[in-house]
Amino acid sequence: MKLFTNKNFCDFCNKKLKNPYIPINTKRNIKTFLCKKCLLVQSLPQRKFKSHPKPSMSIDADRSSIMYTKTRFLPTHIQIFKKYKINIKSFQNILDVGSNRGAFVDYVRKENKKNHITAIESKKGIFHIKKYENIKYINSRFEEANLNYGYYDFVYCVHTLEHFTSCKHALKKIFKSLEFGGKAFIVVPNLNFYSKDDFTEYFIDTHTYHFTNNVLVRFFNSVGFKIIFKIEKNDLTFYIEKTSDKNFRKKNKKF
């Protein structure tokens, strides 16, 4: 899939996008659009760019991560697992989308050394392969990775969905990769969260999607995921299930 385009259409409803906002100091010639039909906020790079820019703490669009996001948030997610009784030991085949420095893989291995884990990370040299059994490491963008469909029973996708070239394509791929009844734990920045002390969502070049709760629920509905629970704070945290239940849209209404 192309990383850039000058054909600006909504990823969710395919409506032609107009009247862009140009983020300050964008290096990828980003144009950010609000779809007037479905309300998805999407940033589209208009030219070629480096997939992994140098780390920068700028407050403009050229800010880029130092790649410790998953390490930083993992303790919080472990507490969520405990609160909602998500037993990582019980899953046999786990997919870690955007493995970063491998913090989640290390955690899984401590819980159960028999888990089979597929770790996908596009940045070279950041995920240090350790001498673990039952781990498959893929150095690739998730969009281009070859996966076994209907194989995984748990997917961990944290602060990654907002970086994809197509959210719809990525969610469909996650859906196909799961067995029926398989679960996914998905976390993204919340566009509707702000305070005088902290504002975690910026229109930065590396974020191609800017999610609100309602927009993300519509994405899950369109793909076929049933929502088990959600937490709506500075991040949007969802625990979802691949289902063949035709009534999943009705069950998602409460979210």
Side-chain angles (χ1 to χ4, degrees), residues 76-93:
T76 300
H77 298 156
I78 292 173
Q79 291 303 312
I80 293 173
F81 296 160
K82 292 179 179 178
K83 179 178 179 179
Y84 290 92
K85 298 181 180 180
I86 301 173
N87 184 7
I88 295 297
K89 295 179 182 179
S90 67
F91 298 110
Q92 299 300 312
N93 301 302

Side-chain angles (χ1 to χ4, degrees), residues 111-134:
E111 292 294 301
N112 184 0
K113 293 182 180 179
K114 294 183 179 180
N115 294 112
H116 289 80
I117 308 168
T118 300
I120 302 177
E121 173 54 52
S122 60
K123 186 174 177 62
K124 291 182 179 180
I126 194 169
F127 184 95
H128 299 292
I129 302 174
K130 300 176 182 179
K131 292 182 179 179
Y132 287 150
E133 295 180 359
N134 303 329

Side-chain angles (χ1 to χ4, degrees), residues 136-154:
K136 179 180 180 182
Y137 169 63
I138 301 175
N139 179 216
S140 167
R141 288 188 66 90
F142 176 70
E143 298 97 317
E144 299 167 354
N146 293 320
L147 299 175
N148 294 323
Y149 287 155
Y151 175 73
Y152 301 99
D153 51 4
F154 185 81

Side-chain angles (χ1 to χ4, degrees), residues 8 35 61 76 80 83 119 142 149 154 186 190 193 198 207 227:
N8 301 311
C35 179
T76 300
I80 293 173
K83 179 178 179 179
F142 176 70
Y149 287 155
F154 185 81
I186 294 181
N190 183 1
F193 176 82
D198 185 27
H207 285 186
I227 300 170

